[in-house]
Amino acid sequence: MTIAASLLPEFDVEMASTRRILERTPETDAGWRPHAKSFTLGELAQHIATLPGWGAMTLRESELDLSPPGGEPYRTPPFTSLANLLATFDQSSRAGREALAAAPDSAFAAPWSLKNAGAIIFTMPRIAVYRSFVMSHLIHHRGQFSVYLRLRDVPLPSLYGPTADATM
């Protein structure tokens, strides 16, 4: 079994769970934030929606510079509506899945770097970047988002098991 084939079932489960929770995004609360230093609910939702696409970028490129010298810094697109959020997520997860499915085992051993203004923040093999910077990063923010939703009294869907609001 290839590395990609072993990761695809996990990808599919996590993307289905992520879409279920993003579908609960209350448009009227998009500007709400639990703390002055926190993302707004809409910003966090948009960030989550774009993260599966980072998998495609990780597997196709050798680096990401968040603020490339002489270039535009990376910015998550703004939240505009639930429909646009879900369209962004669907496109992002489709691109991430296609890149993962097409990746040969050799691609996972290649080094990948995160940079800021040309300075290397870290370099790791793509497999480690894919697991931590893409999948764990997405799961972390999805958990954070579930707290935002709970604080807004939005019923939570089942993710890994029943919630106080939903059964399997």
Side-chain angles (χ1 to χ4, degrees):
M1 175 181 285
T2 66
I3 294 170
S6 71
L7 293 172
L8 283 167
E10 176 187 6
F11 181 90
D12 292 341
V13 166
E14 297 301 341
M15 293 313 110
S17 293
T18 301
R19 193 173 202 293
R20 273 197 310 279
I21 203 160
L22 287 176
E23 289 170 347
R24 308 284 176 108
T25 303
E27 288 180 313
T28 57
D29 287 340
W32 178 83
R33 69 178 78 229
H35 187 275
K37 293 181 181 180
S38 298
F39 280 129
T40 67
L41 188 143
E43 290 167 342
L44 182 56
Q46 276 298 132
H47 183 55
I48 293 166
T50 63
L51 284 173
W54 290 30
M57 178 266 308
T58 298
L59 293 168
R60 293 182 178 144
E61 306 295 330
S62 62
E63 65 183 42
L64 169 63
D65 195 322
L66 297 170
S67 294
E72 289 294 314
Y74 174 82
R75 294 216 190 321
T76 299
F79 178 89
T80 57
S81 70
L82 178 57
N84 285 340
L85 172 73
L86 295 176
T88 296
F89 176 75
D90 291 343
Q91 185 280 327
S92 177
S93 58
R94 198 169 29 256
R97 190 179 201 292
E98 288 170 3
L100 179 58
D105 283 357
S106 60
F108 291 99
W112 189 92
S113 297
L114 178 65
K115 296 180 175 182
N116 190 34
I120 295 173
I121 298 170
F122 68 75
T123 299
M124 295 189 295
R126 276 195 183 117
I127 186 71
V129 174
Y130 182 83
R131 294 289 305 133
S132 64
F133 189 64
V134 178
M135 295 301 290
S136 293
H137 187 176
L138 180 140
I139 293 164
H140 157 75
H141 282 307
R142 189 179 68 205
Q144 182 183 16
F145 191 66
S146 71
V147 173
Y148 277 43
L149 294 180
R150 177 65 76 211
L151 292 172
R152 303 311 296 160
D153 290 324
V154 175
L156 299 178
S158 174
L159 298 177
Y160 297 115
T163 69
D165 305 310
T167 60
M168 297 292 292

